[in-house]
Amino acid sequence: MRALVQRVSQASVSINGGEPKGIGQGFVVLLGVGSQDSQEEADKLWRKISNLRIFPDDQGKTNLSLGQVGGNILLVSQFTLFANCKRGNRPSFIEAADPVQGEALYEYFKTLVSIEYPHYVCGEFGASMDVNLVNHGPFTIWLDTNQL
C-alpha cells in the first residue's frame, strides 16, 4: 500500500463535477492499493500516518502530529501510485489492486480514519475527481508499506 501525504493549509475534492468538499489545516492522503495488499498493510500505513509529526511546534521544529494541531484529513483513492514506467512511455498499472480488492481496502482504510477523525473528507473510489490543495511548507511524504 502506498500513500502520498501532503501537509496542507486547506484542500478540497469535487467528485464528478459536484460541489467541493474540503478541510482546513491537515493532510491530503492520496492512497494507492497494490495487488498484494491486505488489511494488515492498511493498519500499518494508518498507524504511520496518524502519528506523523510534521507540523511545527512553538520553536518551528516538526514535532507535532495531526491530532495535536486539531487537523483533519482529505482521503483520495489513487491507484496511479502503482504506475510502472520502466518500459516505454505509457504507464502500466499491473501492480495495482483489481477494482474489487482496491475498493474494499480503500473502504477499510476510511474506517480506520473515521475512528480518529470522524469529520474527515474523502473522494469516491473510481470516480473522476478534482483535488485542490494548498501544500503548506511545501511538505510531502511518500510512504510505502514495503519500506515501513
Side-chain angles (χ1 to χ4, degrees):
M1 195 166 271
R2 295 177 179 162
L4 186 72
V5 180
Q6 296 180 310
R7 185 180 76 185
V8 299
S9 54
Q10 63 183 19
S12 65
V13 62
S14 177
I15 302 167
N16 295 321
E19 285 296 314
K21 301 182 292 184
I23 63 169
Q25 175 179 257
F27 291 160
V28 169
V29 178
L30 304 177
L31 182 70
V33 179
S35 61
Q36 303 300 310
D37 288 334
S38 67
Q39 289 184 356
E40 183 178 322
E41 282 80 21
D43 293 336
K44 179 195 283 188
L45 185 59
W46 174 243
R47 278 191 308 274
K48 181 60 77 173
I49 291 170
S50 67
N51 291 307
L52 274 178
R53 298 183 320 164
I54 62 172
F55 289 94
D57 62 15
D58 292 340
Q59 288 77 41
K61 296 193 188 273
T62 53
N63 281 325
L64 301 178
S65 68
L66 185 65
Q68 291 173 307
V69 299
N72 219 319
I73 291 184
L74 170 58
L75 177 67
V76 176
S77 173
Q78 182 101 33
F79 81 96
T80 59
L81 292 179
F82 277 89
N84 184 325
C85 298
K86 288 181 183 176
R87 296 181 56 177
N89 294 316
R90 183 171 183 257
S92 166
F93 300 102
I94 150 175
E95 296 172 20
D98 67 66
V100 172
Q101 176 193 14
E103 184 171 16
L105 284 173
Y106 176 67
E107 293 297 324
Y108 178 75
F109 199 88
K110 281 173 43 178
T111 301
L112 296 175
V113 171
S114 71
I115 292 168
E116 288 184 60
Y117 298 93
H119 302 294
Y120 73 100
V121 172
C122 64
E124 182 180 314
F125 186 88
S128 175
M129 296 174 277
D130 292 321
V131 178
N132 292 296
L133 60 96
V134 177
N135 187 328
H136 185 69
F139 211 116
T140 302
I141 303 286
W142 171 260
L143 299 171
D144 188 320
T145 54
N146 290 332
Q147 298 171 357
L148 298 180

